[in-house]
Amino acid sequence: KILLADIMYKKNMSVRQVSMLTGVSRSTVSRIANNQISPTADTLECIAKGLGVHIIDLIDSPYK
């Protein structure tokens, strides 16, 4: 599971703000946040870099 929605909530950020910071389209950010699609590694990297978090912070896994 991708934890983008949780991070957005904690940082009080909108889909539009995340899109502007990361360069990822609003529709893609929204679909990732709602767990409708699984992002590529490149997209995860862009999101992590734009939000100032580690990629691993975006992923919920028992293997952290």
Side-chain angles (χ1 to χ4, degrees):
K1 178 180 173 187
I2 303 300
L3 302 174
L4 180 57
D6 296 340
I7 292 171
M8 288 170 60
Y9 178 78
K10 287 176 188 171
K11 291 182 174 268
N12 195 28
M13 298 181 77
S14 68
V15 169
R16 183 174 180 269
Q17 290 170 317
V18 173
S19 176
M20 290 174 61
L21 284 173
T22 63
V24 177
S25 73
R26 284 183 292 177
S27 62
T28 300
V29 170
S30 178
R31 292 176 71 200
I32 293 169
N34 291 317
N35 289 304
Q36 294 175 338
I37 61 170
S38 295
T40 64
D42 287 341
T43 302
L44 277 178
E45 185 176 8
C46 289
I47 292 170
K49 187 176 180 181
L51 295 179
V53 299
H54 296 282
I55 288 178
I56 195 69
D57 297 333
L58 292 168
I59 302 169
D60 182 26
S61 172
Y63 302 106
K64 278 190 174 182

